[in-house]
């Protein structure tokens, strides 16, 4: 065989070559719990992801720490004859279509099916949906007579705010906006609901008007407000209207 070429200067032909310098980012052996080494860039990316997650969690907790909408005073009610504390659920229509009569309850009341409102309820015989109300929900009045009314709508506030608290806010706002307003009573009633009774001066009712507002819960977890109002001199009739509505009310 031909002779080997001469090696690098300073080394003999058969001297051992020096090992190459260690790679600056060598991987430690895997196993025994050791993990592959990650470059500083990847470590930085991972740290940024963790930091971002922490910020997102902080923002989420910050939002949760803020008082829920239901705990704040409800938004100002729409202009209507009977502004109420509970906020009508978004999308609750006004009574613009005539409800179809169902089986009558007798004793001066007829059960009507309100397709737009999503419920059936008993109203005094001859009462019709009021088409000129600006408030949300369904309104019923005697034809050509604005001295009395029945209003029904689904409550939009979360159940975190109790029914009596909503009615307390309702009473407070009525006190601010109605002439000679007087709260007669406010408190829980049998069945888990709450009721507010009040009076104020009303040209429509030709003197004093009395209102009775009840918030009730339904088996599907919803809450509804039913309100009857009429001349204070005929409070027994107003109470009878509300009682008939409560006994017959069925959400759909």
């Amino acid at each position: 065989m031909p002779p080997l070429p001469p090696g690098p200067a300073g080394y003999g032909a058969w001297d051992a070559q020096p090992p190459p310098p260690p790679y600056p980012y060598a991987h430690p052996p895997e196993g025994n719990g050791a993990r592959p080494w990650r470059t500083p860039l990847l470590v930085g990316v991972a740290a940024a992801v963790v930091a971002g997650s922490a910020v997102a969690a902080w923002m989420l907790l910050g939002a949760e720490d803020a008082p829920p909408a239901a705990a704040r005073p409800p938004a100002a009610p729409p202009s209507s004859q009977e502004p109420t504390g509970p906020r009508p659920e978004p999308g609750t229509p006004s009574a613009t279509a005539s409800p179809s009569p169902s089986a009558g309850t007798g004793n001066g009341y007829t059960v009507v099916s309100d397709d737009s409102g999503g419920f059936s309820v008993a109203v005094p015989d001859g009462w019709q949906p009021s088409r000129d109300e600006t408030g949300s929900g369904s309104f019923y009045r005697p034809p050509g007579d604005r001295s009395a009314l029945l209003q029904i709508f689904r409550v939009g506030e979360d159940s975190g705010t109790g029914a009596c608290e909503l009615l307390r806010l309702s009473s407070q706002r009525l006190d601010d906006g109605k002439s000679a307003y007087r709260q007669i009573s406010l408190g829980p009633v049998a069945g888990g609901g709450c009721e507010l009774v009040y009076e104020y001066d009303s040209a429509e009712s030709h003197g004093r008007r009395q209102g009775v507002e009840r918030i009730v819960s339904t088996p599907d977890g919803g809450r509804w407000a039913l309100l009857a109002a009429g001349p204070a001199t005929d409070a027994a009739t107003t109470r009878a209207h509300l009682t008939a509505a409560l006994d017959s009310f069925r959400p759909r």
Side-chain angles (χ1 to χ4, degrees), residues 5-225:
Y11 295 96
W14 300 103
D15 290 341
Q17 300 295 317
Y23 188 72
Y25 300 130
H27 292 261
E30 297 188 41
N32 299 324
R35 294 174 298 173
W37 189 91
R38 292 178 295 180
T39 66
L41 176 60
L42 293 179
V43 173
V45 170
V49 171
V50 172
S53 300
V55 171
W58 179 87
M59 293 177 66
L60 177 61
L61 291 175
E64 291 176 347
D65 288 341
R72 296 190 291 268
S79 174
S80 67
Q81 296 303 320
E82 294 295 326
T84 57
R87 173 171 50 86
E89 188 173 80
T92 302
S94 296
T96 56
S98 298
S100 55
S102 301
T105 62
N107 300 321
Y109 295 93
T110 301
V111 175
V112 297
S113 179
D114 192 316
D115 295 332
S116 63
F119 60 84
S120 59
V121 69
V123 302
D125 289 344
W127 281 31
Q128 297 293 327
S130 180
R131 302 176 185 279
D132 57 354
E133 310 289 347
T134 58
S136 295
S138 298
F139 292 79
Y140 299 88
R141 293 183 186 266
D145 183 2
R146 297 188 65 83
S147 64
L149 64 88
L150 183 67
Q151 180 186 5
I152 302 170
F153 62 86
R154 186 188 289 270
V155 176
E157 281 82 3
D158 184 82
S159 58
T161 303
C164 286
E165 173 62 12
L166 291 175
L167 291 180
R168 184 191 68 79
L169 294 169
S170 176
S171 182
Q172 178 180 323
R173 185 156 57 248
L174 286 166
D175 191 17
D176 293 339
K178 295 296 183 182
S179 174
Y181 175 82
R182 180 171 73 93
Q183 177 180 302
I184 298 174
S185 64
L186 193 165
V189 294
C194 195
E195 181 179 278
L196 167 66
V197 182
Y198 57 90
E199 288 184 3
Y200 63 89
D201 291 342
S202 169
E204 285 188 341
S205 292
H206 313 293
R208 297 287 288 174
R209 168 175 282 180
Q210 183 172 111
V212 186
E213 183 177 359
R214 181 84 65 90
I215 295 179
V216 298
S217 298
T218 52
D220 63 357
R223 293 194 298 176
W224 293 77

